[in-house]
Amino acid sequence: MSFMDIALNRQSCRNFDPERQVEDEKLKRILEAARLAPSACNSQPYHITVCKAENAHRIAKATVGMGINGFTKDVPLMLVISEDSYNKTAALGAKIKGIDYRSIDIGILCSHIIFQAHEEGLASCILGWIEDKKVREICNCEKVHLIVALGYAKEGDKLRPKKRKSIDELVSCK
């Protein structure tokens, strides 16, 4: 499977199969892809908490509100991405430049996770609607940035057409 195949065929799943669990071997490869994600000054300023079974359900409840993310009740595995410290070089660069490299690095990390998950035949959805305090209590972690829902899509879940800007709207050359 090429990267372009993954980019064309991966989508945010809203229809997970609650009966199928993620195999440990697949999870290990996803976490290894995450470990290899580039970050500013190789600081990896994040932590991943793997939540399965009851903890995944508790996390799911902390992602639902105002009619959003109701599908998470069926997600068998949640990866909670929380903030961690920079190394000294990245911390200095962030202070001098006024850029929060953690947010950038976490975005890159999540891309590695979801693309490897797709290669493994798994569905995923990046969740930003989070009750931070509840998630921090469940995971005993600091500031939560994102949660990645992982599992298998239900049989028959169809690929939706991608709605994206055109290249001309997205890219300019100077």
Side-chain angles (χ1 to χ4, degrees):
M1 183 180 306
S2 74
F3 179 80
M4 192 55 95
D5 290 333
I6 293 171
L8 287 168
N9 293 296
R10 187 257 159 212
Q11 67 183 358
S12 294
C13 183
R14 304 286 194 285
N15 197 17
F16 286 88
D17 183 347
E19 302 303 317
R20 291 187 69 189
Q21 299 302 308
V22 175
E23 297 88 345
D24 287 340
E25 309 78 47
K26 290 183 178 187
L27 176 59
K28 285 179 187 175
R29 287 189 293 270
I30 291 165
L31 295 174
E32 180 62 10
R35 187 183 73 81
L36 295 172
S39 62
C41 304
N42 293 318
S43 64
Q44 297 177 295
Y46 39 72
H47 182 81
I48 303 167
T49 303
V50 178
C51 297
K52 298 179 180 181
E54 183 55 35
N55 280 330
H57 294 299
R58 291 174 64 204
I59 295 296
K61 288 177 185 173
T63 67
V64 176
M66 295 178 58
I68 297 173
N69 295 337
F71 66 90
T72 60
K73 69 184 181 329
D74 292 332
V75 177
L77 192 144
M78 298 282 202
L79 301 180
V80 175
I81 314 299
S82 56
E83 193 172 282
D84 204 351
S85 301
Y86 288 123
N87 63 21
K88 289 179 184 178
T89 308
L92 179 62
K95 186 171 179 81
I96 291 171
K97 291 296 183 180
I99 297 173
D100 179 10
Y101 294 113
R102 279 183 289 238
S103 293
I104 297 166
D105 293 341
I106 287 169
I108 296 167
L109 170 78
C110 285
S111 291
H112 274 63
I113 289 169
I114 64 169
F115 290 137
Q116 183 63 39
H118 186 80
E119 184 175 300
E120 299 290 340
L122 296 170
S124 62
C125 187
I126 300 172
L127 307 168
W129 186 273
I130 301 164
E131 290 187 46
D132 183 67
K133 185 177 178 185
K134 284 185 182 179
V135 176
R136 284 185 286 124
E137 288 172 2
I138 294 165
C139 296
N140 190 29
C141 63
E142 294 300 317
K143 183 178 178 186
V144 177
H145 278 259
L146 296 169
I147 296 172
V148 180
L150 287 177
Y152 286 93
K154 280 188 180 173
E155 191 73 34
D157 191 41
K158 293 188 172 38
L159 183 64
R160 300 178 301 274
K162 293 205 180 282
K163 297 176 185 176
R164 302 291 192 269
K165 292 179 180 179
S166 71
I167 288 289
D168 292 336
E169 291 174 291
L170 192 63
V171 178
S172 64
C173 297
K174 303 285 183 191

